[in-house]
Amino acid sequence: MPFIKKVSFILMLNLILILTPNGFVHAQDDPPSEEEVPYGVASSWLYGHYQLAEGNIDEALGHLHFAYRTHPDVPEVAWDFQEALVAGKYFKDALEVLDNLVEQWPQEAAYRLQRSNVYLQIGKEKNALADLRKLREFGVIDLDVVIREATILSGMGKTDQAIDVCRAGLADLPEHGPRLYLTISVILDQAGKQSELPELLDEAVLKYPNSPQLHDIRMRSYLAVGKEEKALQAAQDADTHFMAMMAAPVNETDLDDPDTMPDAGDSSPPPSFVVELADIFTQQGFPEKGIKILEPLFESGELGKEPSLWLARLHLGTNDL
């Protein structure tokens, strides 16, 4: 969410003092009804802001339009007005407001990001890309900017360029490495280049071994190209790594190392990647393959209670007793 929506108390107070003729608007727990709203730009903006947050777009537009028409140079007012216009699918009008914001604050990332998003919604990919690249020229190195640019390029069929953008992001944003590797894997998949996924995920897991998502996608990438033994090895590698990780004492120096910590949006590892693989085989209609990889774990006592019960049910389902 852009910073301008997090209006501080002091900023809101100053805005009210600037825009309200009497310099004061009575504060209430709930906004007044339309009949109770006094005339004045600040009150119109505050009421429109509330209606926008509540999803009452038509109601918000009237009040925000009045506030914007009177004070188009106040960024909080302009931002809410363009948001209401976008929500109402008045994209051309929203672009006019965003053009004004970008012109006044050319290096503000939120405005260019939003304009890029609106351009994308109306099918103007080149304009959307231009805004994102301008941000990079201004030195804005941001995960959202990188992923958006790569996604747009991928949608235009420019797979290699999209991957290059992500790889540049890997160098600039190592703390978001898992997300960027996952983005590259999606780009390759959408381009029909599944054969390149295992090598990519091997590289990713080597670089970010503590990311459960990367281990999971690595295992699935081998399955996608028919390398079941490699998929099993990937699952076993993941189980070995995370069991050792849980058993090892926490090294506080690792907490600041982006190469050892998973991305903030990463998932937790499953109890067993091998069990996950068995479940995939079963869902694909090959329960006997699931049984084959679970049996060694059961015999060695490494299979938990619930997977052991599931294994028994698989035997019953296949009449393999």
Side-chain angles (χ1 to χ4, degrees):
M1 181 179 294
F3 79 99
I4 56 176
K5 294 205 70 178
K6 301 175 182 177
V7 184
S8 69
F9 174 76
I10 297 298
L11 177 58
M12 184 174 287
L13 179 59
N14 287 338
L15 185 66
I16 290 172
L17 291 175
I18 291 169
L19 300 183
T20 307
N22 297 328
F24 178 77
V25 172
H26 179 63
Q28 305 182 80
D29 292 333
D30 296 314
S33 65
E34 186 174 0
E35 292 75 20
E36 295 172 336
V37 176
Y39 290 104
V41 177
S43 58
S44 289
W45 170 64
L46 289 170
Y47 185 73
H49 179 88
Y50 174 81
Q51 292 298 329
L52 177 62
E54 291 294 301
N56 302 322
I57 306 305
D58 291 338
E59 181 76 7
L61 275 170
H63 292 278
L64 292 172
H65 185 208
F66 171 74
Y68 178 74
R69 188 174 66 245
T70 309
H71 280 280
D73 56 331
V74 177
E76 290 75 20
V77 172
W79 182 264
D80 279 352
F81 184 41
Q82 67 81 26
E83 271 208 329
L85 288 168
V86 171
K89 301 189 184 304
Y90 300 106
F91 298 122
K92 182 179 178 181
D93 295 324
L95 282 173
E96 291 180 5
V97 177
L98 287 164
D99 287 344
N100 186 45
L101 284 170
V102 170
E103 183 179 351
Q104 292 184 73
W105 293 277
Q107 297 191 46
E108 174 50 51
Y111 304 148
R112 285 191 184 273
L113 276 174
Q114 178 68 348
R115 189 170 71 172
S116 174
N117 183 54
V118 174
Y119 275 135
L120 203 55
Q121 291 191 62
I122 61 175
K124 293 188 175 182
E125 292 88 354
K126 291 183 179 179
N127 297 75
L129 277 175
D131 267 333
L132 296 174
R133 286 169 175 167
K134 199 69 177 178
L135 284 175
R136 288 208 288 162
E137 287 178 18
F138 288 139
V140 178
I141 307 299
D142 179 87
L143 179 65
D144 195 19
V145 173
V146 172
I147 290 181
R148 285 195 192 199
E149 184 175 350
T151 301
I152 292 170
L153 287 167
S154 176
M156 296 170 69
K158 299 180 178 181
T159 303
D160 291 341
Q161 290 184 39
I163 292 174
D164 286 343
V165 169
C166 288
R167 288 206 171 275
L170 286 170
D172 295 327
L173 302 165
E175 69 276 17
H176 294 300
R179 285 280 303 279
L180 290 166
Y181 271 113
L182 290 171
T183 301
I184 296 174
S185 70
V186 171
I187 291 169
L188 288 173
D189 184 60
Q190 291 177 340
K193 296 185 175 182
Q194 290 80 10
S195 62
E196 297 181 24
L197 287 171
E199 183 178 355
L200 172 75
L201 274 303
D202 284 347
E203 173 192 326
V205 166
L206 185 63
K207 180 71 173 175
Y208 296 95
N210 295 348
S211 169
Q213 285 186 340
L214 290 179
H215 281 278
D216 183 66
I217 299 299
R218 179 187 182 222
M219 175 183 74
R220 293 172 187 270
S221 73
Y222 278 117
L223 275 185
V225 295
K227 296 183 178 180
E228 295 180 0
E229 290 298 322
K230 287 278 191 178
L232 176 58
Q233 185 62 57
Q236 292 170 337
D237 290 345
D239 282 344
T240 299
H241 174 77
F242 286 106
M243 282 191 289
M245 185 178 171
M246 287 186 288
V250 176
N251 186 347
E252 293 187 3
T253 60
D254 288 345
L255 298 179
D256 297 322
D257 186 351
D259 289 357
T260 60
M261 294 301 293
D263 191 276
D266 214 328
S267 59
S268 299
S272 169
F273 282 89
V274 172
V275 172
E276 289 288 305
L277 180 59
D279 185 47
I280 294 172
F281 281 136
T282 302
Q283 290 181 27
Q284 291 177 342
F286 303 104
E288 67 282 356
K289 292 182 180 180
I291 291 172
K292 182 180 178 180
I293 65 174
L294 291 178
E295 280 287 2
L297 292 178
F298 178 76
E299 292 172 359
S300 64
E302 298 176 60
L303 200 61
K305 180 180 178 181
E306 289 188 13
S308 296
L309 291 172
W310 179 49
L311 175 60
R313 289 196 296 272
L314 288 177
H315 277 299
L316 286 171
T318 56
N319 295 317
D320 182 20
L321 296 176

